[in-house]
Amino acid sequence: MALRMVTRKLGSKLLPRFSSTSQLHSHATSFGFKEVHEEEKSRLVGNVFSSVASSYDLMNDIMSVGLHRLWKDRLHLDVAGGTGDVAFRILETLNSVKRRATQDVLEDNLHEKTQIIVCDINPNMLNVGKKRAMERGLGEDKSLIWVEGDAEALKFKDNSLDGYTIVFGIRNVTHIEKVLAEAYRVLKQGGRFLCLELSHVEVPVFKELYDYYSFSVIPAVGELVAGDRNSYQYLVESIRRFPSQETFASMIAAAGFQKVEYENLVGGVVAIHSGLKF
């Protein structure tokens, strides 16, 4: 898939769309296709993820036809990563490097000093992640740290982290701009921001099929598998309300990131956005 780069230009045509989003957030925000007060959204989203926490990865399997596992492998702070799926992949990669370079002191020291912080606002999601870590034999691994926290107001120091990932999480926040600003704040110079998110399909025929699958199949399967149609309905709607790939890229650039680019996978079903802090 071709990468698309967005150049940060003040006064560009992308900025007015960004500004109008900011004005909306000052009064109301979206919860799926509904308009709700800002203070309501966190509670409503919290209820959704408390409801689906135990079946969250199964839910992602259903929504992406299992492809989310491959997408995550394309991706050190993992925000909205409560179930630990991305963190486990990072840790497995580090362990693999360590095994291949047991005689290399530098590589060994790198592994020992690396910490992966899983930050999520929902304690139920974190509990699922901790349980999964125990099942994988990672319960006592000091490289893995679990933190309950808000992506819009992180507890970490300025310029303190090397990497920031957020997977299927940013579309659920109340203020996307605040999340991006916080990501920029906590990253060190040279740190990288990576976002994997369900996005907008560009191919017309495929879009019709995807819309049918999203609105007709996913909620029905959610009700069948998890007994919760409404939460799955919200998740489908939240994808449609999320900014387009270009608009989201412009928001990342407006937060201060350089070399902002994105890559569409499966025709735009999901997009990987990235940016660097210089």
Side-chain angles (χ1 to χ4, degrees), residues 21 24-25 27-38 40-42 44-45 171-176 234 237-243:
T21 303
L24 171 64
H25 284 158
H27 302 288
T29 189
S30 64
F31 176 75
F33 288 158
K34 299 176 183 177
E35 293 296 320
V36 298
H37 292 297
E38 289 181 348
E40 287 184 86
K41 181 165 183 175
S42 293
L44 293 170
V45 170
R171 75 178 188 279
N172 298 305
V173 304
T174 303
H175 304 100
I176 295 174
Y234 156 72
E237 293 176 1
S238 69
I239 298 168
R240 301 314 190 277
R241 293 300 298 265
F242 190 67

Side-chain angles (χ1 to χ4, degrees), residues 60-72:
N60 283 333
D61 278 328
I62 293 170
M63 293 183 72
S64 70
V65 199
L67 292 173
H68 77 100
R69 299 180 186 277
L70 297 176
W71 297 334
K72 288 173 180 174

Side-chain angles (χ1 to χ4, degrees), residues 170-216:
I170 201 164
R171 75 178 188 279
N172 298 305
V173 304
T174 303
H175 304 100
I176 295 174
E177 315 94 294
K178 288 184 179 180
V179 173
L180 295 174
E182 281 291 271
Y184 188 84
R185 179 183 67 79
V186 301
L187 280 172
K188 297 177 182 177
Q189 295 294 318
R192 191 178 190 190
F193 168 85
L194 278 172
C195 176
L196 177 68
E197 188 56 84
L198 293 160
S199 199
H200 298 271
V201 173
E202 297 180 335
V203 182
V205 176
F206 184 37
K207 183 179 184 303
E208 292 178 10
L209 292 172
Y210 181 58
D211 283 344
Y212 174 80
Y213 177 75
S214 296
F215 290 101
S216 299

